[in-house]
Amino acid sequence: QEEWVIKDMETYGGIQQPMGKQKYSSKEWSKSEQCYDYHREHCKKYGHCSRGPTLRMKEEILFDMWALYYSEFLAGTWMSTLTRTICHWKGFEESLYNGNQCFLQWKWQDTVDGKNTDWYTLDGLNVTALFD
């Protein structure tokens, strides 16, 4: 993250994740080191081997994804590979209106067609701003 973004988030109550061996670091709970030898023995068969820090990062990402999968509402800031994967894991019907980033094309079409006015509303929208 850029430093100004972190400072801005902290201004509004955000808490920066400590890095390294500080308290709450994934090094405190990660199982990647225990699995590294096994990974090295089998990774070539799949054509993708990782170094230790990368393996730990992947573990953190999967942990995040599982937590987000079980959340009632998936709130994301942009459509990333992680977000899109979670949307698909949850399924179309389950995540269409239970997340702000899932299946935007269909959500927008429902809004434009008037099928769902609980999610977005076009009232007060400057239509010329959309099409200019």
Side-chain angles (χ1 to χ4, degrees), residues 31-50:
K31 303 297 182 202
S32 63
E33 287 182 27
Q34 295 168 338
C35 299
Y36 187 69
D37 290 337
Y38 181 86
H39 169 73
R40 295 297 298 168
E41 289 173 22
H42 296 86
C43 66
K44 291 181 182 142
K45 163 169 68 170
Y46 298 106
H48 184 77
C49 295
S50 299

Side-chain angles (χ1 to χ4, degrees), residues 1 3 7 9 34 37 41 58 65 67 85 91 106 124 129:
Q1 285 285 3
E3 191 62 33
K7 292 295 180 205
M9 291 172 70
Q34 295 168 338
D37 290 337
E41 289 173 22
K58 290 176 182 180
M65 292 174 79
T85 300
W106 293 271

Side-chain angles (χ1 to χ4, degrees), residues 30-97:
S30 175
K31 303 297 182 202
S32 63
E33 287 182 27
Q34 295 168 338
C35 299
Y36 187 69
D37 290 337
Y38 181 86
H39 169 73
R40 295 297 298 168
E41 289 173 22
H42 296 86
C43 66
K44 291 181 182 142
K45 163 169 68 170
Y46 298 106
H48 184 77
C49 295
S50 299
R51 296 180 306 112
T54 304
L55 195 60
R56 189 175 72 243
M57 178 190 66
K58 290 176 182 180
E59 179 185 39
E60 292 171 355
I61 292 167
L62 283 173
F63 188 82
D64 281 349
M65 292 174 79
W66 285 330
L68 293 169
Y69 172 77
Y70 288 107
S71 67
E72 288 184 34
F73 189 90
L74 175 60
T77 53
W78 63 83
M79 177 51 75
S80 64
T81 301
L82 182 145
T83 303
R84 185 170 186 153
T85 300
I86 296 165
C87 293
H88 284 272
W89 282 358
K90 285 178 165 276
F92 183 79
E93 294 298 326
E94 178 64 29
S95 62
L96 180 61
Y97 291 103

